[in-house]
Amino acid sequence: METSNGSSRTDFILLGFSDQPQLERIISAVVFIFYVVTLVGNTTIILVSYLDAQLHTPMYFFLSNLSFVDLCYATSIIPQMLVNLWGPKKSITYGGCVLQFFFALDFAATECLLLTVMAYDRYAAVCQPLHYTVIMHPQLCQRMVLTAWMGGLGSALIVCSLTLKLPRCGHRKVDNFLCEMPALIKMACVYSKVIEIVVFVFGTVLLLVPLSLILISYGVITHVVIRIRSTSRWQKILNTCGSHLTVVTLFYGPAIYMYLKPQHITYQNEGKFLALFYTIVTPSLNPLIYTLRNKDVKSAVKRQLGIANC
């Protein structure tokens, strides 16, 4: 495929911390461990949510979709990252870079929308308990998940197509472990006001708007929880809502910082450490947060293990 800058046929070089090989060996071990935890933890939640009849509720339907997104997101990035960390070559083909960029952005945008849907589910469960099953009926849940997936796909198509059209003037070195928008924008040999506006709009629509809806939902939930006198129900609400809020904080914090600051402002190695956090740490912590704080999930895991041991 021809491009205006003639660089589509050339492999890219993912620099990472190639100037510090000893640090790369440590990072590779950490990445591998976190990836195994991500695979085991998220697969466990998906299987338990599917196999255990007591978890056939909207909350765990959304949670299993979130786990699937995390699995896909980590797998779209980490295997290539490990290959580059372990081997002398740090290259990735142009096609591989495009696919990694597209799928990582797609899954990240989908997760933004899924976390918003999950906040609405918690609002309905806490604030409208008598009408919860009517409000969150299966057809609505499926439509909300489909909307999240389609919204992520559409966002990725728009942002990727605009980012990849930027002229690179033969630049091949990506100053990160992965092909992502800030690193690819830095490769451009011209400053593009259009792409900065697109990034800002993208960040506002997929980060600030969903986060605002999440905070509004929890503002209403907090108002209702304060008036609850039942200690057991109060603790159950705090456990489920606390898990979701923790995941929201881990996901939105780095994402807002990376995508809503001016793209031409950067600091040495800052983006690389943030990339390590939201590509390997967050997907592995999500299932741990939900299983450690949620008695229903822990009980379901024990039931399924008991069945397996019979």
Coordinates of all heavy atoms in Angstrom, one line a residue, residues 49-125:
S49 N -18.7 -16.7 35.8 CA -19.9 -16.0 35.5 C -20.8 -16.8 34.6 O -22.1 -16.7 34.7 CB -19.6 -14.6 34.9 OG -18.8 -13.9 35.8
Y50 N -20.2 -17.6 33.7 CA -21.0 -18.4 32.8 C -21.6 -19.7 33.4 O -22.7 -20.1 33.2 CB -20.2 -18.8 31.6 CG -20.9 -19.7 30.6 CD1 -21.8 -19.2 29.7 CD2 -20.5 -21.0 30.5 CE1 -22.5 -20.0 28.8 CE2 -21.2 -21.9 29.6 CZ -22.1 -21.4 28.8 OH -22.8 -22.2 27.9
L51 N -20.7 -20.3 34.2 CA -21.1 -21.6 34.8 C -22.0 -21.6 36.0 O -22.8 -22.4 36.3 CB -19.8 -22.4 35.1 CG -18.9 -22.8 34.0 CD1 -17.6 -23.4 34.5 CD2 -19.6 -23.8 33.0
D52 N -21.8 -20.5 36.8 CA -22.6 -20.4 38.1 C -23.9 -19.7 37.9 O -23.9 -18.5 37.5 CB -21.7 -19.7 39.1 CG -22.3 -20.0 40.5 OD1 -23.3 -19.4 40.9 OD2 -21.6 -20.7 41.3
A53 N -25.0 -20.4 38.1 CA -26.3 -19.8 37.9 C -26.6 -18.6 38.7 O -27.4 -17.7 38.4 CB -27.4 -20.9 38.1
Q54 N -26.0 -18.6 39.9 CA -26.3 -17.5 40.8 C -25.6 -16.2 40.3 O -26.0 -15.1 40.8 CB -25.7 -17.8 42.2 CG -26.5 -19.0 42.9 CD -26.1 -19.2 44.3 OE1 -25.7 -18.3 45.0 NE2 -26.2 -20.4 44.8
L55 N -24.7 -16.3 39.4 CA -24.1 -15.1 38.8 C -24.7 -14.7 37.5 O -24.1 -13.8 36.8 CB -22.6 -15.3 38.7 CG -21.8 -15.6 40.0 CD1 -20.3 -15.6 39.7 CD2 -22.1 -14.6 41.1
H56 N -25.8 -15.2 37.1 CA -26.5 -14.9 35.9 C -27.3 -13.6 36.1 O -28.6 -13.6 36.0 CB -27.3 -16.0 35.4 CG -26.5 -17.2 34.9 ND1 -27.1 -18.4 34.4 CD2 -25.1 -17.3 34.8 CE1 -26.1 -19.2 34.1 NE2 -24.9 -18.6 34.3
T57 N -26.6 -12.5 36.4 CA -27.3 -11.2 36.7 C -26.6 -10.2 35.8 O -25.5 -10.4 35.3 CB -27.1 -10.8 38.2 OG1 -25.7 -10.7 38.4 CG2 -27.7 -11.9 39.1
P58 N -27.3 -9.0 35.6 CA -26.7 -8.0 34.8 C -25.3 -7.6 35.2 O -24.4 -7.4 34.4 CB -27.6 -6.8 34.9 CG -29.0 -7.5 35.2 CD -28.6 -8.7 36.0
M59 N -25.0 -7.5 36.5 CA -23.7 -7.0 37.0 C -22.6 -8.0 36.6 O -21.6 -7.5 36.1 CB -23.7 -7.0 38.6 CG -22.4 -6.7 39.2 SD -22.4 -6.7 41.0 CE -20.7 -6.5 41.4
Y60 N -22.8 -9.3 36.6 CA -21.8 -10.2 36.2 C -21.7 -10.4 34.7 O -20.7 -10.9 34.2 CB -22.0 -11.5 37.0 CG -21.8 -11.3 38.5 CD1 -22.9 -11.3 39.3 CD2 -20.5 -11.0 39.0 CE1 -22.7 -11.0 40.7 CE2 -20.4 -10.8 40.4 CZ -21.5 -10.8 41.2 OH -21.3 -10.5 42.5
F61 N -22.8 -10.1 34.1 CA -22.8 -10.1 32.6 C -21.9 -9.0 32.1 O -21.0 -9.2 31.2 CB -24.2 -9.9 32.1 CG -24.3 -9.7 30.6 CD1 -24.0 -10.7 29.7 CD2 -24.7 -8.5 30.1 CE1 -24.1 -10.5 28.3 CE2 -24.7 -8.3 28.7 CZ -24.4 -9.3 27.8
F62 N -22.0 -7.8 32.7 CA -21.1 -6.7 32.4 C -19.7 -7.0 32.8 O -18.7 -6.7 32.1 CB -21.6 -5.4 33.0 CG -22.9 -5.0 32.5 CD1 -23.9 -4.5 33.4 CD2 -23.2 -5.0 31.2 CE1 -25.1 -4.1 33.0 CE2 -24.5 -4.5 30.7 CZ -25.4 -4.1 31.6
L63 N -19.5 -7.6 34.0 CA -18.2 -7.9 34.5 C -17.5 -8.9 33.6 O -16.3 -8.8 33.3 CB -18.3 -8.5 35.9 CG -16.9 -8.9 36.6 CD1 -16.0 -7.7 36.6 CD2 -17.2 -9.4 38.0
S64 N -18.2 -9.9 33.1 CA -17.6 -10.9 32.2 C -17.2 -10.3 30.9 O -16.1 -10.6 30.3 CB -18.5 -12.1 32.0 OG -19.7 -11.7 31.4
N65 N -18.0 -9.3 30.4 CA -17.6 -8.6 29.2 C -16.3 -7.7 29.5 O -15.5 -7.6 28.6 CB -18.7 -7.7 28.7 CG -19.7 -8.4 27.8 OD1 -19.5 -8.4 26.6 ND2 -20.7 -9.0 28.4
L66 N -16.3 -7.1 30.7 CA -15.1 -6.3 31.0 C -13.8 -7.2 31.1 O -12.8 -6.8 30.6 CB -15.3 -5.6 32.4 CG -14.2 -4.7 32.9 CD1 -14.0 -3.5 32.0 CD2 -14.4 -4.3 34.3
S67 N -14.0 -8.4 31.6 CA -12.8 -9.3 31.7 C -12.4 -9.7 30.3 O -11.2 -9.8 30.0 CB -13.2 -10.5 32.5 OG -13.4 -10.2 33.9
F68 N -13.4 -9.9 29.4 CA -13.0 -10.3 28.0 C -12.3 -9.2 27.3 O -11.3 -9.4 26.6 CB -14.3 -10.7 27.2 CG -14.1 -11.1 25.8 CD1 -13.4 -12.3 25.6 CD2 -14.5 -10.3 24.8 CE1 -13.2 -12.7 24.3 CE2 -14.2 -10.7 23.5 CZ -13.6 -11.9 23.2
V69 N -12.8 -7.9 27.5 CA -12.1 -6.8 27.0 C -10.7 -6.7 27.5 O -9.7 -6.4 26.7 CB -12.8 -5.5 27.3 CG1 -12.0 -4.2 26.9 CG2 -14.2 -5.4 26.5
D70 N -10.5 -6.9 28.8 CA -9.1 -6.8 29.4 C -8.2 -7.9 28.8 O -7.0 -7.7 28.5 CB -9.2 -7.0 30.9 CG -9.6 -5.7 31.6 OD1 -9.4 -4.6 31.0 OD2 -10.1 -5.8 32.7
L71 N -8.8 -9.1 28.6 CA -8.0 -10.2 28.0 C -7.6 -9.8 26.5 O -6.4 -10.0 26.2 CB -8.9 -11.5 27.9 CG -8.9 -12.4 29.1 CD1 -9.8 -13.6 28.8 CD2 -7.5 -13.0 29.3
C72 N -8.5 -9.3 25.8 CA -8.2 -8.9 24.4 C -7.2 -7.7 24.4 O -6.2 -7.7 23.5 CB -9.5 -8.5 23.6 SG -10.6 -9.9 23.4
Y73 N -7.4 -6.8 25.2 CA -6.5 -5.6 25.3 C -5.0 -6.0 25.6 O -4.1 -5.7 24.9 CB -7.0 -4.6 26.3 CG -6.1 -3.4 26.5 CD1 -6.1 -2.4 25.4 CD2 -5.4 -3.2 27.6 CE1 -5.3 -1.3 25.6 CE2 -4.6 -2.0 27.7 CZ -4.5 -1.1 26.7 OH -3.8 0.0 26.8
A74 N -4.9 -6.8 26.7 CA -3.5 -7.3 27.1 C -2.9 -8.1 26.0 O -1.7 -8.0 25.7 CB -3.6 -8.0 28.4
T75 N -3.7 -9.0 25.3 CA -3.1 -9.9 24.3 C -2.8 -9.2 23.0 O -1.9 -9.6 22.3 CB -4.2 -11.0 24.0 OG1 -4.5 -11.7 25.3 CG2 -3.6 -12.0 23.0
S76 N -3.4 -8.1 22.8 CA -3.1 -7.3 21.6 C -1.7 -6.6 21.7 O -1.2 -6.1 20.7 CB -4.2 -6.3 21.3 OG -4.2 -5.2 22.3
I77 N -1.2 -6.5 23.0 CA 0.0 -5.7 23.2 C 1.1 -6.5 23.8 O 2.3 -6.5 23.3 CB -0.3 -4.5 24.2 CG1 -1.3 -3.6 23.5 CG2 1.0 -3.8 24.6 CD1 -1.8 -2.5 24.5
I78 N 0.9 -7.3 24.8 CA 1.9 -7.9 25.6 C 2.8 -9.0 24.9 O 4.0 -9.0 25.0 CB 1.3 -8.5 27.0 CG1 0.8 -7.3 27.8 CG2 2.4 -9.3 27.7 CD1 0.2 -7.7 29.1
P79 N 2.2 -9.9 24.1 CA 3.1 -10.9 23.4 C 4.2 -10.2 22.6 O 5.3 -10.6 22.6 CB 2.1 -11.7 22.6 CG 0.8 -11.6 23.3 CD 0.8 -10.2 23.9
Q80 N 3.8 -9.2 21.8 CA 4.8 -8.5 21.0 C 5.8 -7.7 21.9 O 7.0 -7.7 21.6 CB 4.1 -7.4 20.1 CG 5.0 -6.6 19.2 CD 5.7 -7.4 18.1 OE1 5.1 -8.2 17.4 NE2 7.1 -7.3 18.1
M81 N 5.3 -7.2 23.0 CA 6.2 -6.5 23.9 C 7.2 -7.5 24.5 O 8.4 -7.2 24.6 CB 5.4 -5.9 25.1 CG 6.2 -5.1 26.1 SD 5.2 -4.6 27.5 CE 4.0 -3.6 26.8
L82 N 6.8 -8.7 24.8 CA 7.7 -9.7 25.4 C 8.7 -10.2 24.3 O 9.9 -10.4 24.7 CB 6.9 -10.9 25.9 CG 6.1 -10.7 27.2 CD1 5.3 -11.9 27.5 CD2 7.1 -10.4 28.4
V83 N 8.3 -10.3 23.1 CA 9.2 -10.7 22.0 C 10.3 -9.7 21.9 O 11.5 -10.0 21.8 CB 8.5 -10.9 20.7 CG1 9.4 -11.0 19.5 CG2 7.6 -12.1 20.7
N84 N 9.9 -8.4 21.9 CA 10.9 -7.3 21.8 C 11.8 -7.2 23.0 O 13.0 -6.9 22.9 CB 10.2 -6.0 21.5 CG 9.6 -5.9 20.2 OD1 9.8 -6.8 19.3 ND2 8.9 -4.9 19.9
L85 N 11.3 -7.5 24.2 CA 12.1 -7.4 25.4 C 13.1 -8.5 25.5 O 14.2 -8.4 26.0 CB 11.2 -7.4 26.7 CG 10.4 -6.1 26.9 CD1 9.3 -6.3 28.0 CD2 11.3 -5.0 27.3
W86 N 12.7 -9.7 25.1 CA 13.5 -10.9 25.2 C 14.6 -11.0 24.1 O 15.6 -11.6 24.3 CB 12.7 -12.2 25.2 CG 11.9 -12.4 26.4 CD1 12.3 -11.9 27.7 CD2 10.8 -13.2 26.6 NE1 11.3 -12.3 28.6 CE2 10.4 -13.1 28.0 CE3 10.0 -13.9 25.8 CZ2 9.3 -13.8 28.5 CZ3 8.8 -14.6 26.3 CH2 8.5 -14.5 27.7
G87 N 14.3 -10.5 22.9 CA 15.2 -10.7 21.7 C 16.0 -9.4 21.4 O 15.7 -8.3 21.9
P88 N 17.0 -9.6 20.6 CA 17.8 -8.4 20.2 C 17.1 -7.5 19.3 O 17.3 -6.3 19.2 CB 19.0 -9.1 19.5 CG 18.5 -10.4 19.0 CD 17.5 -10.8 20.0
K89 N 16.1 -8.0 18.5 CA 15.4 -7.1 17.6 C 14.2 -6.5 18.3 O 13.5 -7.1 19.1 CB 14.8 -8.0 16.4 CG 15.9 -8.5 15.5 CD 15.2 -9.2 14.3 CE 14.4 -8.3 13.4 NZ 13.8 -8.9 12.2
K90 N 14.1 -5.2 18.0 CA 13.0 -4.4 18.6 C 12.0 -4.0 17.6 O 11.2 -3.0 17.8 CB 13.6 -3.2 19.3 CG 14.7 -3.4 20.3 CD 14.3 -4.2 21.5 CE 15.5 -4.4 22.4 NZ 15.1 -5.3 23.6
S91 N 12.0 -4.6 16.5 CA 11.1 -4.2 15.4 C 9.7 -4.7 15.4 O 9.5 -5.8 16.0 CB 11.8 -4.5 14.0 OG 11.9 -5.9 13.9
I92 N 8.8 -4.0 14.7 CA 7.5 -4.5 14.4 C 7.1 -4.1 13.0 O 7.5 -3.0 12.6 CB 6.5 -3.9 15.5 CG1 5.1 -4.5 15.2 CG2 6.5 -2.4 15.5 CD1 4.1 -4.1 16.3
T93 N 6.5 -4.9 12.3 CA 6.1 -4.5 10.9 C 5.1 -3.4 10.9 O 4.4 -3.1 11.9 CB 5.5 -5.7 10.2 OG1 4.3 -6.1 10.8 CG2 6.5 -6.9 10.1
Y94 N 5.1 -2.7 9.8 CA 4.1 -1.6 9.7 C 2.7 -2.1 9.9 O 1.9 -1.5 10.7 CB 4.2 -0.9 8.3 CG 3.1 0.1 8.1 CD1 3.3 1.4 8.6 CD2 2.0 -0.1 7.4 CE1 2.3 2.4 8.4 CE2 1.0 0.8 7.2 CZ 1.2 2.1 7.7 OH 0.2 3.1 7.5
G95 N 2.4 -3.2 9.3 CA 1.0 -3.8 9.4 C 0.8 -4.2 10.9 O -0.3 -4.0 11.4
G96 N 1.8 -4.8 11.5 CA 1.6 -5.2 12.9 C 1.4 -4.0 13.8 O 0.6 -4.1 14.8
C97 N 2.1 -2.9 13.5 CA 2.0 -1.7 14.3 C 0.6 -1.1 14.2 O -0.1 -0.7 15.1 CB 3.0 -0.7 13.9 SG 3.0 0.8 14.9
V98 N 0.1 -1.1 12.9 CA -1.3 -0.6 12.7 C -2.3 -1.4 13.4 O -3.2 -0.9 14.1 CB -1.6 -0.6 11.2 CG1 -3.1 -0.3 10.9 CG2 -0.7 0.4 10.4
L99 N -2.2 -2.8 13.3 CA -3.2 -3.6 14.0 C -3.1 -3.5 15.5 O -4.1 -3.4 16.2 CB -2.9 -5.1 13.6 CG -3.3 -5.5 12.2 CD1 -2.8 -6.9 11.9 CD2 -4.8 -5.3 11.9
Q100 N -1.9 -3.4 16.1 CA -1.7 -3.2 17.5 C -2.4 -1.9 17.9 O -3.1 -1.8 18.9 CB -0.3 -3.3 17.9 CG 0.0 -3.2 19.4 CD 1.4 -3.2 19.8 OE1 2.1 -2.2 19.6 NE2 1.9 -4.3 20.2
F101 N -2.1 -0.8 17.2 CA -2.6 0.5 17.5 C -4.2 0.5 17.5 O -4.9 0.9 18.4 CB -2.1 1.5 16.5 CG -2.6 2.9 16.6 CD1 -3.0 3.4 17.9 CD2 -2.7 3.7 15.5 CE1 -3.5 4.7 18.0 CE2 -3.2 5.0 15.6 CZ -3.6 5.5 16.9
F102 N -4.7 -0.2 16.4 CA -6.2 -0.2 16.2 C -6.9 -1.0 17.3 O -7.8 -0.5 18.0 CB -6.5 -0.8 14.9 CG -8.0 -1.0 14.7 CD1 -8.8 0.1 14.4 CD2 -8.5 -2.3 14.8 CE1 -10.2 -0.1 14.2 CE2 -9.9 -2.5 14.7 CZ -10.7 -1.4 14.4
F103 N -6.4 -2.2 17.6 CA -7.1 -3.1 18.5 C -6.9 -2.6 19.9 O -7.9 -2.6 20.7 CB -6.6 -4.5 18.4 CG -7.2 -5.2 17.2 CD1 -6.3 -5.6 16.2 CD2 -8.5 -5.5 17.1 CE1 -6.9 -6.3 15.1 CE2 -9.1 -6.1 16.0 CZ -8.2 -6.5 15.0
A104 N -5.7 -2.1 20.3 CA -5.6 -1.5 21.6 C -6.5 -0.4 21.9 O -7.1 -0.3 23.0 CB -4.1 -1.1 21.8
L105 N -6.6 0.5 20.9 CA -7.5 1.7 21.0 C -9.0 1.2 21.1 O -9.8 1.8 21.8 CB -7.2 2.7 19.9 CG -7.9 4.0 20.0 CD1 -7.5 4.8 21.2 CD2 -7.6 4.8 18.7
D106 N -9.3 0.3 20.3 CA -10.7 -0.3 20.2 C -11.1 -0.8 21.6 O -12.1 -0.5 22.1 CB -10.8 -1.3 19.1 CG -12.1 -2.0 19.0 OD1 -13.1 -1.4 19.6 OD2 -12.3 -3.0 18.4
F107 N -10.2 -1.7 22.2 CA -10.6 -2.3 23.4 C -10.5 -1.3 24.6 O -11.4 -1.4 25.5 CB -9.6 -3.4 23.7 CG -9.7 -4.6 22.7 CD1 -8.5 -5.1 22.1 CD2 -10.9 -5.1 22.3 CE1 -8.6 -6.1 21.2 CE2 -11.0 -6.1 21.4 CZ -9.8 -6.6 20.8
A108 N -9.6 -0.3 24.5 CA -9.6 0.7 25.6 C -10.8 1.6 25.5 O -11.4 1.9 26.6 CB -8.3 1.6 25.4
A109 N -11.3 2.0 24.3 CA -12.5 2.8 24.2 C -13.7 2.0 24.6 O -14.6 2.5 25.3 CB -12.6 3.3 22.8
T110 N -13.7 0.7 24.3 CA -14.9 -0.1 24.7 C -14.9 -0.2 26.2 O -16.0 -0.2 26.8 CB -14.7 -1.5 24.1 OG1 -14.7 -1.4 22.7 CG2 -15.9 -2.4 24.5
E111 N -13.7 -0.3 26.9 CA -13.7 -0.4 28.3 C -14.3 0.9 29.0 O -15.0 0.8 30.0 CB -12.3 -0.7 28.8 CG -12.2 -0.9 30.3 CD -11.1 -1.7 30.8 OE1 -10.4 -2.4 30.0 OE2 -10.8 -1.7 32.0
C112 N -13.9 2.0 28.4 CA -14.5 3.3 28.9 C -16.0 3.2 29.0 O -16.6 3.6 30.0 CB -14.1 4.4 28.0 SG -12.4 5.0 28.1
L113 N -16.6 2.8 27.9 CA -18.1 2.7 27.8 C -18.6 1.6 28.7 O -19.7 1.8 29.3 CB -18.5 2.5 26.3 CG -18.0 3.7 25.4 CD1 -18.4 3.3 23.9 CD2 -18.6 5.0 25.8
L114 N -18.0 0.5 28.8 CA -18.5 -0.6 29.7 C -18.5 -0.1 31.1 O -19.4 -0.5 31.9 CB -17.6 -1.8 29.5 CG -18.0 -2.8 28.4 CD1 -17.0 -4.0 28.4 CD2 -19.4 -3.4 28.7
L115 N -17.4 0.6 31.6 CA -17.4 1.0 32.9 C -18.5 2.0 33.2 O -19.1 2.0 34.3 CB -16.0 1.7 33.2 CG -14.8 0.8 33.3 CD1 -13.5 1.6 33.4 CD2 -14.9 -0.2 34.5
T116 N -18.9 2.8 32.2 CA -20.1 3.7 32.4 C -21.4 2.9 32.5 O -22.2 3.2 33.4 CB -20.2 4.6 31.2 OG1 -18.9 5.3 31.0 CG2 -21.2 5.7 31.4
V117 N -21.5 1.9 31.7 CA -22.7 1.0 31.7 C -22.8 0.3 33.1 O -23.9 0.2 33.7 CB -22.6 -0.1 30.6 CG1 -23.6 -1.1 30.8 CG2 -22.8 0.6 29.3
M118 N -21.6 -0.1 33.6 CA -21.6 -0.8 34.9 C -22.0 0.2 36.1 O -22.6 -0.2 37.0 CB -20.2 -1.4 35.2 CG -19.9 -2.5 34.3 SD -18.2 -3.1 34.4 CE -18.3 -4.0 36.0
A119 N -21.7 1.5 35.9 CA -22.1 2.5 36.9 C -23.6 2.6 36.9 O -24.2 2.8 37.9 CB -21.4 3.8 36.6
Y120 N -24.2 2.6 35.7 CA -25.6 2.8 35.6 C -26.3 1.5 36.2 O -27.3 1.6 36.9 CB -26.1 2.9 34.1 CG -27.6 3.0 34.0 CD1 -28.3 4.1 34.3 CD2 -28.3 1.8 33.5 CE1 -29.6 4.2 34.2 CE2 -29.7 1.9 33.4 CZ -30.3 3.1 33.7 OH -31.7 3.1 33.6
D121 N -25.7 0.4 36.0 CA -26.2 -0.9 36.6 C -26.2 -0.8 38.1 O -27.2 -1.1 38.8 CB -25.4 -2.1 36.2 CG -25.8 -3.3 36.9 OD1 -26.9 -3.8 36.7 OD2 -25.0 -3.8 37.7
R122 N -25.1 -0.2 38.7 CA -25.1 -0.1 40.2 C -26.1 1.0 40.7 O -26.7 0.8 41.7 CB -23.7 0.4 40.6 CG -22.6 -0.7 40.4 CD -22.8 -1.9 41.2 NE -23.8 -2.9 40.6 CZ -24.6 -3.7 41.2 NH1 -24.6 -3.7 42.5 NH2 -25.4 -4.5 40.5
Y123 N -26.3 2.0 39.9 CA -27.3 3.0 40.2 C -28.7 2.4 40.3 O -29.5 2.6 41.2 CB -27.3 4.2 39.2 CG -28.6 4.9 39.2 CD1 -28.9 5.9 40.1 CD2 -29.5 4.7 38.2 CE1 -30.1 6.6 40.1 CE2 -30.7 5.4 38.1 CZ -31.0 6.3 39.1 OH -32.2 7.0 39.1
A124 N -29.0 1.6 39.2 CA -30.3 0.9 39.2 C -30.5 0.0 40.4 O -31.6 -0.1 41.0 CB -30.5 0.2 37.9
A125 N -29.4 -0.8 40.7 CA -29.5 -1.8 41.8 C -29.7 -1.1 43.1 O -30.5 -1.7 44.0 CB -28.3 -2.6 41.8

